[in-house]
Amino acid sequence: MDTVPRTRLRLTPSAVHVAWQALPIVVFLVVLALLPAAKSDDTCDGIGFGCDLNPRDTVLVIGIAVGGPALGIAVLIGEVTLLLLRRGGGASTPVTAGSIAAVTGWAVAGVPVFALVACSSLS
């Protein structure tokens, strides 16, 4: 009987980093799927003519306008963090390095962007 040797899945810091960055996309899609596509108070929905967006469209517009650029910047900053960790001999495991990169990327890029959105929605 000929057996094929099993290959072991090798995690890289970049793979872990990308997996962490995929998490907000999954959460966004779940929230988008759960929101109603129509307003509950029989008013018109849409853009223009005194109408407002329904909840699903509002989240979609904010996700595209704010979440997309924030995710791109967070991934870029995370990859730079991984490069610096590799050069400095930092994190010992790929999971640790990828997690550090994801947290750093969102701390530098995501938090200020979402704080700006939150502050602008208060006024």
Side-chain angles (χ1 to χ4, degrees):
M1 181 159 90
D2 190 26
T3 61
V4 177
R6 292 186 133 192
T7 58
R8 187 171 175 204
L9 178 65
R10 184 170 179 261
L11 284 176
T12 63
S14 289
V16 174
H17 175 233
V18 169
W20 274 112
Q21 297 299 357
L23 186 63
I25 295 170
V26 171
V27 170
F28 172 75
L29 292 174
V30 168
V31 168
L32 198 62
L34 295 176
L35 286 173
K39 296 171 78 175
S40 61
D41 60 348
D42 293 335
T43 58
C44 65
D45 62 353
I47 297 178
F49 306 109
C51 300
D52 294 327
L53 293 174
N54 62 49
R56 182 180 294 165
D57 290 344
T58 302
V59 169
L60 184 62
V61 168
I62 291 172
I64 291 171
V66 177
L71 181 63
I73 293 168
V75 168
L76 182 66
I77 291 170
E79 288 298 318
V80 169
T81 303
L82 283 176
L83 179 68
L84 294 174
L85 283 172
R86 286 183 194 127
R87 282 189 172 184
S92 59
T93 67
V95 173
T96 304
S99 299
I100 289 171
V103 169
T104 303
W106 277 111
V108 174
V111 172
V113 169
F114 288 116
L116 179 66
V117 170
C119 289
S120 67
S121 68
L122 293 176
S123 58

Coordinates of all heavy atoms in Angstrom, one line a residue, residues 31-104:
V31 N -23.8 41.7 9.7 CA -24.6 42.9 10.1 C -25.5 43.3 8.9 O -26.7 43.6 9.0 CB -23.8 44.0 10.6 CG1 -24.6 45.3 10.8 CG2 -23.1 43.6 12.0
L32 N -24.9 43.4 7.7 CA -25.6 43.8 6.5 C -26.7 42.9 6.2 O -27.8 43.3 5.9 CB -24.6 43.9 5.4 CG -25.1 44.7 4.2 CD1 -25.2 46.2 4.5 CD2 -24.0 44.6 3.0
A33 N -26.5 41.6 6.4 CA -27.6 40.6 6.1 C -28.7 40.7 7.1 O -29.9 40.4 6.8 CB -27.0 39.2 6.1
L34 N -28.4 41.1 8.3 CA -29.4 41.1 9.4 C -30.3 42.4 9.4 O -31.3 42.4 10.0 CB -28.8 40.9 10.8 CG -28.1 39.5 11.0 CD1 -27.4 39.5 12.3 CD2 -29.1 38.4 10.8
L35 N -29.8 43.5 8.8 CA -30.5 44.7 8.9 C -31.7 44.7 7.9 O -31.6 44.1 6.8 CB -29.6 45.9 8.5 CG -28.6 46.2 9.6 CD1 -27.6 47.3 9.1 CD2 -29.3 46.8 10.8
P36 N -32.7 45.4 8.3 CA -33.9 45.5 7.4 C -33.6 46.3 6.1 O -32.9 47.3 6.2 CB -35.0 46.2 8.2 CG -34.2 46.9 9.3 CD -33.0 46.1 9.5
A37 N -34.2 45.9 5.0 CA -34.0 46.6 3.8 C -35.0 47.7 3.5 O -35.0 48.4 2.5 CB -34.0 45.6 2.6
A38 N -35.9 47.9 4.4 CA -36.9 48.9 4.3 C -37.1 49.6 5.7 O -36.8 49.0 6.7 CB -38.3 48.3 3.9
K39 N -37.5 50.9 5.6 CA -37.7 51.6 6.9 C -39.0 51.2 7.5 O -40.0 50.8 6.8 CB -37.8 53.1 6.6 CG -36.4 53.6 6.0 CD -36.5 55.0 5.5 CE -36.5 56.0 6.7 NZ -36.5 57.4 6.3
S40 N -39.0 51.2 8.8 CA -40.2 50.7 9.6 C -41.4 51.7 9.6 O -42.5 51.4 9.9 CB -39.8 50.3 11.0 OG -39.3 51.4 11.7
D41 N -41.0 53.0 9.4 CA -42.1 54.0 9.5 C -42.6 54.5 8.1 O -42.6 55.6 7.9 CB -41.5 55.2 10.3 CG -40.3 55.8 9.7 OD1 -39.8 55.2 8.7 OD2 -39.9 56.9 10.1
D42 N -43.0 53.7 7.3 CA -43.7 54.0 6.0 C -43.2 55.3 5.3 O -44.0 55.9 4.5 CB -45.2 54.0 6.2 CG -45.7 52.6 6.5 OD1 -45.0 51.7 6.1 OD2 -46.8 52.5 7.1
T43 N -42.1 55.8 5.6 CA -41.6 57.0 4.9 C -40.7 56.5 3.7 O -40.3 55.4 3.7 CB -40.7 57.9 5.8 OG1 -39.6 57.2 6.3 CG2 -41.5 58.5 7.0
C44 N -40.5 57.4 2.8 CA -39.7 57.0 1.6 C -38.3 56.8 2.0 O -37.8 57.3 2.9 CB -39.8 58.1 0.5 SG -39.1 59.6 0.9
D45 N -37.7 55.8 1.3 CA -36.3 55.6 1.5 C -35.5 55.7 0.2 O -36.1 55.5 -0.9 CB -36.0 54.3 2.2 CG -36.4 53.1 1.4 OD1 -37.1 53.3 0.3 OD2 -36.1 52.0 1.8
G46 N -34.3 56.2 0.3 CA -33.5 56.4 -0.9 C -32.7 57.7 -0.7 O -32.7 58.3 0.4
I47 N -32.1 58.2 -1.7 CA -31.3 59.4 -1.6 C -32.0 60.5 -2.4 O -32.3 60.3 -3.6 CB -29.9 59.2 -2.2 CG1 -29.1 58.2 -1.3 CG2 -29.1 60.5 -2.2 CD1 -27.7 57.9 -1.7
G48 N -32.3 61.6 -1.8 CA -32.9 62.7 -2.5 C -34.4 62.9 -2.2 O -35.0 62.0 -1.7
F49 N -34.9 64.1 -2.6 CA -36.3 64.4 -2.4 C -36.8 64.2 -1.0 O -37.9 63.8 -0.8 CB -37.2 63.5 -3.4 CG -36.7 63.6 -4.8 CD1 -36.1 62.6 -5.5 CD2 -36.9 64.8 -5.5 CE1 -35.7 62.7 -6.8 CE2 -36.4 64.9 -6.8 CZ -35.8 63.8 -7.5
G50 N -36.0 64.5 0.0 CA -36.4 64.5 1.4 C -36.4 63.1 2.0 O -36.9 62.9 3.0
C51 N -35.9 62.1 1.3 CA -35.9 60.7 1.8 C -34.5 60.4 2.5 O -33.5 61.1 2.2 CB -36.1 59.8 0.6 SG -37.6 60.0 -0.3
D52 N -34.6 59.5 3.3 CA -33.4 59.0 4.0 C -33.1 57.5 3.6 O -34.0 56.8 3.2 CB -33.5 59.0 5.5 CG -33.7 60.4 6.0 OD1 -33.0 61.3 5.5 OD2 -34.4 60.6 7.0
L53 N -31.9 57.1 3.7 CA -31.5 55.7 3.4 C -32.1 54.8 4.5 O -32.3 55.1 5.6 CB -30.0 55.5 3.4 CG -29.3 56.2 2.3 CD1 -27.8 56.1 2.5 CD2 -29.7 55.7 0.9
N54 N -32.5 53.6 4.0 CA -32.9 52.6 5.0 C -31.7 52.0 5.8 O -30.6 52.3 5.4 CB -33.7 51.4 4.3 CG -32.9 50.7 3.3 OD1 -31.8 50.3 3.6 ND2 -33.4 50.5 2.1
P55 N -31.9 51.3 6.9 CA -30.7 50.9 7.7 C -29.7 50.1 6.9 O -28.5 50.3 7.1 CB -31.4 50.0 8.8 CG -32.8 50.5 8.9 CD -33.2 51.0 7.5
R56 N -30.1 49.2 6.0 CA -29.1 48.4 5.3 C -28.3 49.2 4.4 O -27.1 49.1 4.3 CB -29.8 47.3 4.5 CG -28.8 46.4 3.8 CD -29.5 45.3 3.0 NE -30.2 44.4 3.9 CZ -31.1 43.5 3.6 NH1 -31.4 43.4 2.3 NH2 -31.6 42.7 4.5
D57 N -28.9 50.1 3.6 CA -28.2 51.0 2.7 C -27.3 52.0 3.5 O -26.2 52.3 3.0 CB -29.2 51.8 1.8 CG -29.9 50.9 0.8 OD1 -29.4 49.8 0.6 OD2 -30.9 51.3 0.3
T58 N -27.7 52.4 4.6 CA -26.9 53.3 5.4 C -25.6 52.6 5.8 O -24.5 53.2 5.7 CB -27.6 53.8 6.7 OG1 -28.8 54.5 6.3 CG2 -26.8 54.7 7.5
V59 N -25.7 51.4 6.3 CA -24.5 50.6 6.7 C -23.6 50.3 5.5 O -22.4 50.4 5.6 CB -24.9 49.4 7.5 CG1 -23.7 48.4 7.7 CG2 -25.5 49.7 8.8
L60 N -24.3 50.0 4.4 CA -23.5 49.7 3.2 C -22.7 51.0 2.7 O -21.5 50.8 2.4 CB -24.5 49.3 2.1 CG -23.8 48.8 0.7 CD1 -22.9 47.6 1.0 CD2 -24.9 48.5 -0.3
V61 N -23.3 52.1 2.7 CA -22.6 53.3 2.3 C -21.5 53.7 3.2 O -20.3 54.0 2.8 CB -23.6 54.5 2.2 CG1 -22.9 55.8 2.0 CG2 -24.5 54.3 1.0
I62 N -21.7 53.6 4.5 CA -20.6 53.9 5.5 C -19.5 52.8 5.4 O -18.3 53.1 5.4 CB -21.2 53.9 6.9 CG1 -22.1 55.2 7.1 CG2 -20.1 53.9 8.0 CD1 -22.8 55.2 8.4
G63 N -19.9 51.6 5.2 CA -18.9 50.5 5.1 C -18.0 50.7 3.9 O -16.8 50.5 3.9
I64 N -18.6 51.1 2.7 CA -17.8 51.3 1.5 C -17.0 52.6 1.7 O -15.8 52.6 1.3 CB -18.7 51.4 0.3 CG1 -19.3 50.0 0.0 CG2 -17.9 51.9 -0.9 CD1 -20.4 50.0 -1.0
A65 N -17.6 53.7 2.1 CA -16.9 55.0 2.2 C -15.8 55.0 3.3 O -14.8 55.7 3.1 CB -17.9 56.1 2.4
V66 N -16.1 54.4 4.4 CA -15.1 54.5 5.5 C -14.4 53.2 5.8 O -13.2 53.2 5.9 CB -15.9 54.9 6.8 CG1 -15.0 55.0 8.0 CG2 -16.6 56.3 6.6
G67 N -15.1 52.1 5.8 CA -14.5 50.8 6.2 C -13.5 50.3 5.1 O -12.5 49.8 5.5
G68 N -13.8 50.5 3.9 CA -12.9 50.1 2.8 C -11.5 50.7 2.9 O -10.5 50.1 3.0
P69 N -11.5 52.1 2.9 CA -10.2 52.7 3.0 C -9.5 52.4 4.3 O -8.3 52.2 4.4 CB -10.5 54.2 2.9 CG -11.8 54.3 2.2 CD -12.5 53.0 2.5
A70 N -10.3 52.4 5.4 CA -9.6 52.0 6.7 C -9.0 50.6 6.7 O -7.9 50.4 7.2 CB -10.7 52.1 7.8
L71 N -9.7 49.7 6.1 CA -9.2 48.3 6.0 C -7.9 48.3 5.2 O -6.9 47.7 5.5 CB -10.2 47.4 5.4 CG -9.8 45.9 5.3 CD1 -9.5 45.3 6.6 CD2 -10.9 45.1 4.5
G72 N -7.9 49.0 4.0 CA -6.7 49.1 3.2 C -5.5 49.7 3.9 O -4.4 49.2 3.9
I73 N -5.7 50.8 4.7 CA -4.7 51.4 5.4 C -4.2 50.5 6.5 O -3.0 50.4 6.8 CB -5.1 52.8 6.0 CG1 -5.3 53.7 4.8 CG2 -4.1 53.3 6.9 CD1 -6.1 55.0 5.2
A74 N -5.1 49.8 7.2 CA -4.8 48.9 8.3 C -3.9 47.7 7.8 O -3.0 47.3 8.5 CB -6.0 48.4 9.0
V75 N -4.3 47.2 6.6 CA -3.5 46.1 6.1 C -2.1 46.6 5.7 O -1.1 45.9 6.0 CB -4.2 45.5 4.8 CG1 -3.3 44.5 4.1 CG2 -5.5 44.7 5.3
L76 N -2.0 47.7 5.1 CA -0.7 48.3 4.8 C 0.2 48.5 6.0 O 1.4 48.1 6.0 CB -0.9 49.6 4.0 CG 0.4 50.3 3.5 CD1 1.1 49.4 2.5 CD2 0.1 51.6 2.9
I77 N -0.4 49.1 7.0 CA 0.4 49.4 8.2 C 0.7 48.1 8.9 O 1.8 47.9 9.4 CB -0.4 50.3 9.2 CG1 -0.5 51.7 8.6 CG2 0.2 50.3 10.6 CD1 -1.4 52.6 9.3
G78 N -0.2 47.1 8.9 CA 0.2 45.8 9.5 C 1.3 45.1 8.7 O 2.2 44.5 9.4
E79 N 1.3 45.2 7.4 CA 2.4 44.5 6.7 C 3.8 45.2 7.0 O 4.8 44.6 7.0 CB 2.1 44.5 5.2 CG 1.0 43.5 4.8 CD 1.4 42.1 5.1 OE1 2.5 41.7 4.9 OE2 0.5 41.4 5.6
V80 N 3.7 46.6 7.1 CA 5.0 47.3 7.5 C 5.4 46.8 8.9 O 6.6 46.6 9.2 CB 4.7 48.8 7.4 CG1 5.9 49.6 8.1 CG2 4.5 49.3 6.0
T81 N 4.4 46.6 9.8 CA 4.8 46.1 11.1 C 5.4 44.8 11.1 O 6.4 44.5 11.8 CB 3.5 46.1 12.0 OG1 2.9 47.4 12.0 CG2 3.8 45.6 13.4
L82 N 4.9 43.9 10.2 CA 5.5 42.6 10.0 C 6.9 42.7 9.5 O 7.8 41.9 10.0 CB 4.6 41.7 9.1 CG 3.4 41.1 9.6 CD1 2.6 40.4 8.5 CD2 3.7 40.2 10.8
L83 N 7.1 43.6 8.6 CA 8.5 43.8 8.0 C 9.4 44.2 9.2 O 10.5 43.7 9.3 CB 8.4 44.8 6.9 CG 9.8 45.1 6.3 CD1 10.3 43.9 5.5 CD2 9.6 46.3 5.4
L84 N 9.0 45.1 10.0 CA 9.8 45.6 11.1 C 10.0 44.5 12.1 O 11.1 44.4 12.7 CB 9.2 46.8 11.8 CG 9.1 48.1 10.9 CD1 8.3 49.2 11.6 CD2 10.5 48.5 10.5
L85 N 9.0 43.6 12.4 CA 9.2 42.5 13.3 C 10.2 41.5 12.8 O 11.0 41.0 13.6 CB 7.8 41.9 13.6 CG 6.9 42.6 14.5 CD1 5.5 41.9 14.5 CD2 7.4 42.6 15.9
R86 N 10.1 41.2 11.5 CA 11.1 40.3 10.9 C 12.5 40.8 11.0 O 13.5 40.1 11.3 CB 10.8 40.0 9.4 CG 9.6 39.2 9.3 CD 9.3 38.9 7.8 NE 8.0 38.3 7.6 CZ 7.1 38.8 6.8 NH1 7.4 39.8 6.0 NH2 5.9 38.2 6.7
R87 N 12.7 42.1 10.7 CA 14.0 42.7 10.8 C 14.6 42.7 12.2 O 15.8 42.5 12.4 CB 14.0 44.1 10.2 CG 14.0 44.1 8.7 CD 14.2 45.5 8.3 NE 14.3 45.5 6.8 CZ 14.6 46.6 6.1 NH1 14.7 47.7 6.7 NH2 14.7 46.5 4.8
G88 N 13.7 43.0 13.1 CA 14.1 43.1 14.5 C 14.2 41.8 15.3 O 14.6 41.8 16.4
G89 N 13.8 40.7 14.7 CA 13.7 39.4 15.3 C 12.7 39.4 16.4 O 12.9 38.7 17.5
G90 N 11.6 40.1 16.3 CA 10.6 40.3 17.3 C 9.8 39.0 17.6 O 10.4 38.0 18.0
A91 N 8.5 39.0 17.4 CA 7.6 38.0 17.8 C 8.1 36.6 17.4 O 8.6 36.3 16.4 CB 6.2 38.2 17.2
S92 N 7.9 35.7 18.4 CA 8.5 34.3 18.2 C 7.6 33.4 17.3 O 8.2 32.5 16.7 CB 8.7 33.7 19.6 OG 7.4 33.6 20.2
T93 N 6.3 33.6 17.3 CA 5.5 32.7 16.5 C 4.8 33.4 15.4 O 4.5 34.6 15.5 CB 4.5 31.9 17.3 OG1 3.5 32.9 17.8 CG2 5.1 31.2 18.5
P94 N 4.4 32.8 14.3 CA 3.6 33.5 13.3 C 2.3 34.0 13.8 O 1.9 35.1 13.3 CB 3.4 32.4 12.2 CG 4.4 31.4 12.4 CD 4.7 31.4 13.9
V95 N 1.6 33.3 14.7 CA 0.4 33.8 15.2 C 0.6 35.1 16.0 O -0.2 36.0 15.9 CB -0.3 32.7 16.1 CG1 -1.6 33.2 16.8 CG2 -0.7 31.5 15.2
T96 N 1.6 35.1 16.8 CA 1.9 36.3 17.6 C 2.2 37.5 16.7 O 1.7 38.6 16.8 CB 3.1 36.1 18.5 OG1 2.8 34.9 19.4 CG2 3.4 37.3 19.4
A97 N 3.1 37.3 15.7 CA 3.5 38.3 14.8 C 2.3 38.8 14.0 O 2.1 40.1 13.8 CB 4.6 37.8 13.8
G98 N 1.5 37.9 13.4 CA 0.3 38.3 12.7 C -0.7 39.1 13.5 O -1.3 40.0 13.0
S99 N -0.9 38.7 14.7 CA -1.8 39.3 15.7 C -1.3 40.7 16.0 O -2.1 41.7 16.0 CB -2.0 38.5 16.9 OG -2.6 37.3 16.6
I100 N 0.0 40.9 16.3 CA 0.5 42.2 16.6 C 0.4 43.1 15.4 O 0.0 44.3 15.5 CB 2.0 42.0 16.9 CG1 2.2 41.4 18.3 CG2 2.7 43.4 16.9 CD1 3.6 41.0 18.7
A101 N 0.6 42.6 14.2 CA 0.4 43.4 13.0 C -1.0 43.9 12.8 O -1.3 45.0 12.4 CB 0.9 42.6 11.7
A102 N -2.0 43.0 13.0 CA -3.4 43.3 12.8 C -3.8 44.4 13.9 O -4.5 45.4 13.5 CB -4.3 42.1 13.0
V103 N -3.4 44.2 15.1 CA -3.8 45.2 16.2 C -3.1 46.5 15.9 O -3.7 47.6 16.0 CB -3.4 44.6 17.6 CG1 -3.5 45.7 18.6 CG2 -4.3 43.4 17.9
T104 N -1.9 46.5 15.5 CA -1.2 47.7 15.2 C -1.8 48.5 14.0 O -2.0 49.7 14.0 CB 0.3 47.5 14.9 OG1 0.9 46.8 16.0 CG2 1.1 48.8 14.6

